């Protein structure tokens, strides 16, 4: 039973769609048994089945939607009075099917929501022909005009819903891109610090080489090697940062900023009475010498996670901040038992701070995760490799 409830929760959209089809299918069957032509069953069954195929991962939406719309139009053309007379049928071959109309409305919403603009508009117009034209072509009595008006209103409602969903997705993508652009702008502002940090090391090594050349000529090679390594480190750091500024996901580093030694101060500001947050670290980690990008990113992940707790989990009872070094990587975890913030995937409103965290961690080839890890538990976890980070 629990497994079934989990499946229903995970596929809530499919369950709702099937329930709607089932309701209108029952009404269509009653009408067919009462007085409707049995050809209606073809439209009732075939069109919704084709529309449901869009949920398969290996099925493309545009051909599936076109097939469903085309099938409905063919059924309507086949049901006109002229064709029925040629077949020797006293009445229309099929009548208006509410289940079919619902399936076509779902097609309109889906293509306007997900498809590129041009095919979405073409399919929407074709769906209008199928939805509004079906009562006109399949019915010859007076209710046909009334039902065609109702069908037109239904098509208009589906168009409105699809356009609203499309606009929401567009704004969501724009907001996420703004967050990423803000992260890259911050990288640009900090680029000077990285360059200054490494170039200063090169200058110091060159000055030391000059002294060594006068006092101990045999050690000049060692001093030159130090300059070479410092220059290589500077190029690597700059290449990583420029990679992020160009929009590359796999490269980029963070610059010196807040260090892990300041995490305890950050936690104290968040929880002055020390009743809510428990901080756990390895002994001496706060004073460990870490690559500046890793240290700054670790600090900012904790900062953003605590900020999200304050904003999105007002009834939180406890927060656990855990920072450790394991297997040449910095592990940061922030866990709370309150109402979680929106997931980073962006399917629910809010949560743009998580996008920024993901951008920072990806810049250092790290692993970022944010989501529920138990009943009422929300965890933000990060793994930042130490080897090769600058």
């Amino acid at each position: 039973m629990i497994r079934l409830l989990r499946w229903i929760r995970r596929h809530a959209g499919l369950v709702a769609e099937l329930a709607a089809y089932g309701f209108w299918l029952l009404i269509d069957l009653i009408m067919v048994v009462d007085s409707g032509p049995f050809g209606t069953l073809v439209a009732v069954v075939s069109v919704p089945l084709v529309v449901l195929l869009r949920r398969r991962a290996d099925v493309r939406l545009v051909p599936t939607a076109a097939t469903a719309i085309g099938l409905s139009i063919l059924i309507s053309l086949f049901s006109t009075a002229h064709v029925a007379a040629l077949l020797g049928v006293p009445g229309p071959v099929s009548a208006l099917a509410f289940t079919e109309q619902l399936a076509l409305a779902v097609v309109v919403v889906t293509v306007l929501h997900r498809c590129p603009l041009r095919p979405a508009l073409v399919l929407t117009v074709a769906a209008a022909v199928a939805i509004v034209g079906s009562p006109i072509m399949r019915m010859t009595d007076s209710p046909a005009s009334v039902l065609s008006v109702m069908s037109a209103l239904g098509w208009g409602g589906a168009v409105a819903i699809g356009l609203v969903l499309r606009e929401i997705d567009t704004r969501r993508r724009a907001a996420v891109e703004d967050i990423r652009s803000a992260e890259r702008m911050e990288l640009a502002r900090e680029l000077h610090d990285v360059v200054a940090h490494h170039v200063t090391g090169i200058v110091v090594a060159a000055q030391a080489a000059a002294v060594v050349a006068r006092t101990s000529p045999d050690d000049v090679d060692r001093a030159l090697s130090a300059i070479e390594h410092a220059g290589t480190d500077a190029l690597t750091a700059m290449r990583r940062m420029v990679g992020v500024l160009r929009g590359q996901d796999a490269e980029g580093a963070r610059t010196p900023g807040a260090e892990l030694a300041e995490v305890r101060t950050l936690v104290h500001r968040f929880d002055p009475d020390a009743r809510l947050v428990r901080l756990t670290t390895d002994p001496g980690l706060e004073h460990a010498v870490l690559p500046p990008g890793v240290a700054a990113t670790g600090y900012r992940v904790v900062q953003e996670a605590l900020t999200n707790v304050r904003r999105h989990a007002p009834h939180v009872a406890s927060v656990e901040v855990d920072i450790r070094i394991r297997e040449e990587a910095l592990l940061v975890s922030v866990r709370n038992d309150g109402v979680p913030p929106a997931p980073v995937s962006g399917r629910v409103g809010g949560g743009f701070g998580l996008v920024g965290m993901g951008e920072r961690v990806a810049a250092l080839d790290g692993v970022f995760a944010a989501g529920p890890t138990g009943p009422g538990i929300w965890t933000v976890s990060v793994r930042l490799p130490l080897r090769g980070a600058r």
Side-chain angles (χ1 to χ4, degrees):
M1 184 63 180
I2 296 178
R3 183 175 299 177
L4 176 61
L5 292 177
R6 288 178 178 174
W7 186 90
I8 292 175
R9 182 179 179 182
R10 191 164 54 249
H11 302 86
L14 174 60
V15 173
E17 185 176 351
L18 291 176
Y21 288 153
F23 173 79
W24 289 110
L25 177 61
L26 179 62
I27 294 178
D28 286 332
L29 291 177
I30 293 175
M31 294 176 61
V32 168
V33 172
D34 183 26
S35 59
F38 283 91
T40 307
L41 292 176
V42 178
V44 168
V45 175
S46 59
V47 176
L49 284 179
V50 174
V51 174
L52 285 172
L53 286 177
R54 80 190 191 282
R55 291 185 172 272
R56 292 176 57 91
D58 56 344
V59 174
R60 292 187 298 173
L61 177 57
V62 172
T64 304
T67 301
I69 295 172
L71 182 60
S72 176
I73 294 176
L74 286 177
I75 294 173
S76 296
L77 292 174
F78 192 73
S79 302
T80 58
H82 179 67
V83 174
L86 291 178
L87 296 174
V89 179
V93 177
S94 65
L96 182 67
F98 293 107
T99 310
E100 176 192 7
Q101 295 273 307
L102 174 62
L104 293 175
V106 171
V107 167
V108 172
V109 172
T110 305
V111 297
L112 286 176
H113 181 199
R114 300 179 181 176
C115 290
L117 184 58
R118 182 172 298 178
L121 293 177
V122 173
L123 290 172
T124 301
V125 173
V129 175
I131 294 174
V132 181
S134 59
I136 298 175
M137 290 185 284
R138 300 182 192 183
M139 304 177 71
T140 57
D141 50 4
S142 57
S145 59
V146 176
L147 290 176
S148 64
V149 173
M150 295 178 61
S151 298
L153 293 176
W155 173 83
V159 170
I161 295 173
L163 291 176
V164 168
L165 294 177
R166 189 183 189 93
E167 179 65 17
I168 291 174
D169 274 4
T170 301
R171 293 187 179 185
R172 179 76 186 187
R173 287 193 296 269
V176 171
E177 187 58 34
D178 287 344
I179 293 297
R180 290 174 175 168
S181 298
E183 288 293 319
R184 291 165 186 157
M185 288 301 296
E186 184 178 346
L187 282 170
R189 289 193 298 268
E190 296 173 350
L191 181 59
H192 173 268
D193 293 337
V194 166
V195 175
H197 173 75
H198 289 287
V199 171
T200 299
I202 295 174
V203 171
V204 171
Q207 292 172 343
V211 174
V212 170
R214 292 193 299 269
T215 59
S216 181
D218 295 336
D219 294 332
V220 171
D221 289 342
R222 187 184 306 171
L224 294 177
S225 178
I227 295 175
E228 178 185 0
H229 287 302
T232 301
D233 291 346
L235 289 175
T236 300
M238 292 176 63
R239 189 180 300 115
R240 284 174 171 266
M241 181 166 293
V242 171
V244 170
L245 292 174
R246 288 176 176 174
Q248 300 174 3
D249 293 332
E251 293 191 10
R254 307 306 293 176
T255 58
E259 302 295 338
L260 292 179
E262 301 178 33
V263 170
R264 193 169 298 277
T265 303
L266 174 66
V267 170
H268 177 72
R269 290 200 304 266
F270 179 85
D271 182 26
D273 299 329
R275 294 182 300 181
L276 183 64
V277 182
R278 184 178 66 181
L279 175 62
T280 304
T281 64
D282 285 338
L285 178 62
E286 297 176 355
H287 305 290
V289 179
L290 299 177
V294 172
T297 301
Y299 173 88
R300 289 172 182 174
V301 165
V302 176
Q303 182 183 46
E304 186 62 40
L306 292 179
T307 301
N308 281 348
V309 169
R310 187 179 301 278
R311 291 177 179 174
H312 303 287
H315 304 296
V316 64
S318 64
V319 180
E320 297 179 6
V321 179
D322 189 273
I323 307 175
R324 302 179 186 275
I325 293 180
R326 295 290 186 274
E327 299 178 356
E328 297 186 351
L330 177 67
L331 306 180
V332 180
S333 173
V334 181
R335 184 183 301 107
N336 74 85
D337 60 359
V339 179
V344 72
S345 61
R347 295 182 181 179
V348 182
F352 289 120
L354 299 181
V355 176
M357 278 196 274
E359 189 79 6
R360 286 180 176 275
V361 175
L364 292 176
D365 296 328
V367 179
F368 172 78
T373 54
I377 303 297
W378 182 273
T379 303
V380 174
S381 60
V382 168
R383 184 183 187 276
L384 297 169
L386 301 180
R387 179 176 295 181
R390 302 296 176 193

